[in-house]
Amino acid sequence: MGVKERRAREKEQLRHRILSAARELFVAEGYESVSMRKIADMIDYSPTTIYLYYKDKADLLDSVCKETLLNLLNTLDRLRKDKSDPVETLRMSGRAYVEFGLKYPQDYKLTFVVRPQFQKGLGLEEGSVGEKVFNYLRTMVSECIRQKKFRQVDVETTGQVLWSAVHGVTLLLIDFPDFPWTEKDKLIDTVIHTMIEGLKP
Amino acid sequence: MGVKERRAREKEQLRHRILSAARELFVAEGYESVSMRKIADMIDYSPTTIYLYYKDKADLLDSVCKETLLNLLNTLDRLRKDKSDPVETLRMSGRAYVEFGLKYPQDYKLTFVVRPQFQKGLGLEEGSVGEKVFNYLRTMVSECIRQKKFRQVDVETTGQVLWSAVHGVTLLLIDFPDFPWTEKDKLIDTVIHTMIEGLKP
DNA sequence: AATTTAACTTAACATCGTTAAGTATATCGA
DNA sequence: TCGATATACTTAACGATGTTAAGTTAAATT
């Protein structure tokens, strides 16, 4: 039954081609400005073919964002190696998070701003990639507390506080590129540094 | 020349009626979902009449956001009275900022997320309402440093850091309402508290 | 009373997301 | 190998979108 498998593989390939085209256009022109027809044109299929592979435009967005979260998770995971100084790891992870957002600003906004507007679900459900990203943050905070580098704070709340800070600075830098920010790296470092100082004993 | 004045007043009234309808619909259904036809229907005019008062849909959004920034500025200004403890004033202002965003979540997103996507200008130019809001933050930080409540930090950077934190937590609470946040008030307070602790000598 | 100006509307354009119906091509049972 | 079935894709259409150009009507001015 090699035929069936080949067909399945071909279907999967087309599915992926559609997704790649969608991402490329979403990133280049923004979710709203991209039409199903543009995506279809890009891969030389009729617009309706897309609906055989994805439920609707929001479903495409969903899949694009899932990929983005996977990329973010991989980026962060690469930093987890060194366990010696959890505070330093946390600091580097915060930087990596913001830099990821600034490196792929459109992907970041699609995932953390646009998607929630169009899709009720969080993308942070149990078992989801989003949850794994937040779990990553939880374990880092726990380690900081366990090693008495932080005072005895609530892990859950602290994780959310840190997320707020990095999310905030990332979005501000993306959304207001012309604002007279102090030097970008200094701003990012200060955000993270101030938070960490505020958590020390 | 009472006639001319009356006509001018009537024009101004209609302009305001259009803006009110736009805001009501934007807030209720989101910028993207609102059509010029819907706005026109609401005030019993033809869709094209709107274009006699506003350049286009983005111009309507612009005006709505300007109003929002004015409301935010007024809300904050009411807290500035008590100068005795600048740190406490800063804390209360931070709370007020986040609560403003949560009280009018759609207005907040329109101003700080949607608008930057559609309008190149920041709404934070010199002399703008947005700049006044940020100036408010600057003076509070300055006062904290002057009274040695904060260590010798850069006013500009510190203002931006604080804005990042409150902006971040506001947007996360709005965009991911189903996320298992720790109690909302506790989260907001902890964000602000952690920042302030991190700025103390 | 004739003409200009102001306020507003009608009609149209190109484009959008999405669905229903249709068409070819390949696979399968006989 | 032939006819039936299933798969993969397309064509055509619907109602809606932002926006513009060309009217229309009524008031103000001369």
Side-chain angles (χ1 to χ4, degrees):
Chain A
M1 285 295 119
V3 177
K4 256 201 177 123
E5 286 163 17
R6 193 204 55 198
R7 307 276 279 194
R9 208 169 49 239
E10 280 172 3
K11 271 204 88 160
E12 200 46 52
Q13 271 175 19
L14 180 48
R15 204 183 135 86
H16 190 260
R17 281 225 297 152
I18 293 171
L19 193 63
S20 295
R23 174 185 290 277
E24 190 175 330
L25 288 171
F26 285 164
V27 166
E29 312 182 12
Y31 178 70
E32 299 298 330
S33 303
V34 173
S35 68
M36 299 302 259
R37 288 166 174 85
K38 275 187 197 166
I39 301 173
D41 275 0
M42 194 171 208
I43 55 173
D44 291 314
Y45 280 84
S46 91
T48 51
T49 298
I50 299 174
Y51 289 88
L52 302 173
Y53 293 83
Y54 293 92
K55 186 177 161 292
D56 52 21
K57 201 182 166 188
D59 188 23
L60 266 173
L61 175 61
D62 246 39
S63 298
V64 167
C65 292
K66 201 183 224 171
E67 268 192 0
T68 301
L69 283 174
L70 254 174
N71 286 344
L72 175 58
L73 185 62
N74 286 338
T75 303
L76 293 178
D77 249 342
R78 251 172 255 130
L79 296 175
R80 188 143 53 167
K81 309 290 170 195
D82 183 20
K83 279 241 175 185
S84 60
D85 184 352
V87 176
E88 194 50 37
T89 308
L90 189 63
R91 192 190 309 276
M92 280 167 52
S93 299
R95 263 219 78 95
Y97 182 99
V98 178
E99 270 166 7
F100 180 90
L102 298 180
K103 190 171 175 189
Y104 311 104
Q106 297 306 319
D107 301 72
Y108 187 85
K109 287 201 74 176
L110 284 174
T111 304
F112 291 106
V113 177
V114 178
R115 205 201 97 114
Q117 224 164 16
F118 288 86
Q119 207 75 13
K120 270 288 154 195
L122 321 91
L124 297 167
E125 305 82 3
E126 261 185 82
S128 68
V129 184
E131 205 207 17
K132 280 190 184 121
V133 176
F134 196 74
N135 273 337
Y136 174 86
L137 184 53
R138 267 189 267 259
T139 60
M140 279 192 303
V141 172
S142 291
E143 191 59 21
C144 288
I145 298 171
R146 202 186 61 77
Q147 292 191 22
K148 311 277 187 201
K149 309 279 185 180
F150 285 176
R151 53 191 157 76
Q152 205 66 29
V153 288
D154 175 42
V155 176
E156 205 60 25
T157 306
T158 306
Q160 295 168 15
V161 164
L162 289 168
W163 187 20
S164 295
V166 290
H167 181 62
V169 71
T170 304
L171 277 187
L172 285 182
L173 285 171
I174 292 174
D175 281 335
F176 300 98
D178 297 332
F179 186 83
W181 303 111
T182 56
E183 203 248 319
K184 194 185 64 180
D185 285 324
K186 182 184 174 189
L187 176 59
I188 300 167
D189 284 336
T190 310
V191 166
I192 298 169
H193 180 259
T194 307
M195 275 293 170
I196 288 178
E197 286 303 306
L199 290 168
K200 284 185 178 171
Chain B
M1 284 296 116
V3 177
K4 257 203 176 121
E5 286 163 17
R6 193 204 48 182
R7 306 276 278 192
R9 208 169 49 238
E10 280 171 1
K11 270 206 88 160
E12 199 45 54
Q13 271 175 19
L14 180 49
R15 206 184 133 85
H16 189 259
R17 281 225 298 150
I18 293 171
L19 193 62
S20 295
R23 173 186 288 278
E24 190 175 328
L25 288 171
F26 285 164
V27 166
E29 312 182 10
Y31 179 70
E32 299 299 330
S33 304
V34 173
S35 68
M36 300 301 261
R37 288 165 176 86
K38 276 187 198 168
I39 301 173
D41 274 1
M42 193 170 208
I43 56 172
D44 291 314
Y45 280 84
S46 89
T48 49
T49 298
I50 299 174
Y51 289 88
L52 302 173
Y53 293 82
Y54 293 92
K55 187 177 158 292
D56 52 21
K57 201 181 165 189
D59 189 23
L60 267 173
L61 175 61
D62 246 40
S63 298
V64 167
C65 293
K66 201 183 223 169
E67 267 192 2
T68 301
L69 283 173
L70 255 175
N71 286 343
L72 175 58
L73 185 62
N74 287 336
T75 303
L76 293 178
D77 249 343
R78 252 173 255 130
L79 296 175
R80 188 145 49 168
K81 310 289 170 195
D82 184 20
K83 279 243 176 187
S84 60
D85 184 352
V87 176
E88 193 53 34
T89 307
L90 189 63
R91 192 190 310 275
M92 281 166 52
S93 298
R95 264 219 78 94
Y97 181 98
V98 179
E99 269 165 8
F100 181 89
L102 299 181
K103 189 171 176 187
Y104 311 104
Q106 296 307 319
D107 301 72
Y108 188 85
K109 285 201 75 175
L110 284 174
T111 305
F112 291 107
V113 177
V114 178
R115 206 201 95 113
Q117 224 163 16
F118 288 86
Q119 208 75 13
K120 271 286 153 197
L122 320 89
L124 296 167
E125 306 81 4
E126 260 185 84
S128 69
V129 184
E131 206 208 16
K132 280 189 184 122
V133 176
F134 196 76
N135 272 337
Y136 175 85
L137 183 53
R138 267 190 268 258
T139 60
M140 279 192 302
V141 171
S142 291
E143 191 59 21
C144 289
I145 299 171
R146 202 185 61 78
Q147 293 190 22
K148 311 279 189 200
K149 309 281 185 178
F150 284 176
R151 52 193 158 76
Q152 205 66 28
V153 287
D154 176 42
V155 176
E156 206 58 26
T157 306
T158 307
Q160 294 168 15
V161 164
L162 288 168
W163 186 21
S164 295
V166 291
H167 181 63
V169 70
T170 304
L171 276 187
L172 286 182
L173 285 172
I174 292 175
D175 281 335
F176 300 97
D178 297 332
F179 186 83
W181 303 111
T182 58
E183 204 250 317
K184 195 185 65 182
D185 285 324
K186 183 184 174 187
L187 177 59
I188 300 167
D189 284 335
T190 310
V191 167
I192 298 169
H193 180 258
T194 306
M195 274 295 169
I196 289 180
E197 285 303 307
L199 289 168
K200 283 184 179 171

